[in-house]
Amino acid sequence: LPNFLRFIGVTKDARTAGPGRRLELFTKGCIRGVINPCQGCFNEETWTFEGQYREMRIEEVVKMIDRDAWNRQVTFCGGEPILQAKGITKVAKRLKEIDPSFHIIMYTAYKLDTLMKYGLRFVWVPKYGEAMLDSLKRFTRNWSHNADNTRYEFELLSPEDVKELMTYIDIIVDGDYQQDKRLTQHETMHDGGFIGSSNQRVIFCDLTLDKGELQYLPPQIYNYGLEHHCKCCGHQIHARITYCNDLCEKRYNKRVKDMELIGVM
Ligand code: SF4
């Protein structure tokens, strides 16, 4: 369990889902989106567990990615991919068996250190809707309910499941999207700048597993760090200045602090 993944869509050659051009897969369903969505979420159609989606068996997903990811760059976003992490683990494992050069990124709104410590548990009550209940039951066998079926407890992932996922995913971008910490001024993220708000972190899974503590990129690496671009938002600016304006400077400094800079990888 499970032997399938649910998507609402796939984009080829996406430039806002990690370094390079990537095959980006949008998973269906976000518990947070249903209950208390992130303000400014750009992907509302992925929230609900009802409505249209495509359910594909693991082997079908693997074949599709092997066919369409011409440069072996793949990103799972959503929605909330962590809900389907067991299926994604199977896909990523199989892809790396086919070709170890696959580079795989996954986004999640949950903090990775918390997931590694506690796994992922969730309580369902009727106001969240039957469709969510049905989906959660299909994502895991580990659940129980009270006598009158008005409260279900799910263990979607154990800490071991999270570590297995990290064995096959190269980078996890964690943290929810927080509009007041938005990094870019464009409607869409600029090429190469693939996190939306400064609280999110770009975490190397293999190094983190090796070292036993989070290893992640300092922001100046993934947000250009080039001359003639604002250090914060990436906009092209005059060569003599560093930021577009005071707001960008403030955002950048806050972001460095938020990211708890640990050194250049
Ligand atoms: S930003 Fe992500 S986690 Fe937040 S509501 Fe949207 S899809 Fe869900």
Side-chain angles (χ1 to χ4, degrees), residues 43-239:
N43 232 348
E44 199 172 328
E45 65 271 30
T46 63
W47 297 349
T48 173
F49 292 80
E50 286 122 1
Q52 287 195 326
Y53 56 84
R54 182 154 184 214
E55 185 169 303
M56 294 172 75
R57 285 183 294 110
I58 296 298
E59 269 312 310
E60 287 179 297
V61 180
V62 170
K63 269 191 195 153
M64 176 186 68
I65 295 175
D66 189 29
R67 184 192 63 211
D68 291 344
W70 58 274
N71 60 1
R72 300 331 209 183
Q73 312 271 294
V74 182
T75 297
F76 292 94
C77 68
E80 178 47 88
I82 200 77
L83 301 178
Q84 302 190 60
K86 286 185 182 169
I88 289 174
T89 301
K90 288 183 187 172
V91 170
K93 181 177 179 191
R94 186 71 195 105
L95 288 172
K96 298 233 164 161
E97 284 165 3
I98 293 169
D99 182 347
S101 74
F102 268 106
H103 183 268
I104 305 174
I105 294 178
M106 196 194 89
Y107 283 75
T108 177
Y110 295 81
K111 290 286 184 195
L112 188 59
D113 29 5
T114 308
L115 291 168
M116 288 174 75
K117 202 163 171 191
Y118 302 108
L120 180 60
R121 292 165 184 274
F122 183 71
V123 172
W124 177 91
V125 291
K127 69 177 178 182
Y128 300 151
E130 291 291 325
M132 187 196 290
L133 177 63
D134 291 343
S135 294
L136 293 175
K137 280 182 180 171
R138 291 200 64 203
F139 294 156
T140 178
R141 282 204 182 106
N142 300 328
W143 51 270
S144 57
H145 57 82
N146 64 359
D148 56 2
N149 290 355
T150 54
R151 181 187 161 93
Y152 283 72
E153 290 184 19
F154 289 90
E155 186 189 57
L156 285 166
L157 297 172
S158 66
E160 290 67 37
D161 293 330
V162 176
K163 283 172 195 154
E164 195 187 358
L165 172 75
M166 293 170 67
T167 307
Y168 302 106
I169 299 289
D170 296 275
I171 287 175
I172 288 181
V173 181
D174 83 345
D176 56 341
Y177 172 65
Q178 298 181 16
Q179 200 166 29
D180 62 334
K181 294 180 183 163
R182 181 178 173 80
L183 292 176
T184 68
Q185 296 174 341
H186 289 147
E187 277 307 299
T188 55
M189 285 178 277
H190 53 74
D191 186 16
F194 55 101
I195 68 172
S197 56
S198 64
N199 57 298
Q200 295 176 304
R201 300 175 297 187
V202 179
I203 300 166
F204 295 97
C205 293
D206 56 350
L207 285 171
T208 295
L209 287 175
D210 275 0
K211 299 198 179 220
E213 59 181 38
L214 293 189
Q215 303 291 311
Y216 51 88
L217 269 183
Q220 60 265 41
I221 299 297
Y222 59 76
N223 197 27
Y224 293 159
L226 300 176
E227 289 173 318
H228 314 323
H229 287 86
C230 171
K231 270 177 91 175
C232 177
C233 71
H235 275 170
Q236 200 156 15
I237 51 175
H238 192 280

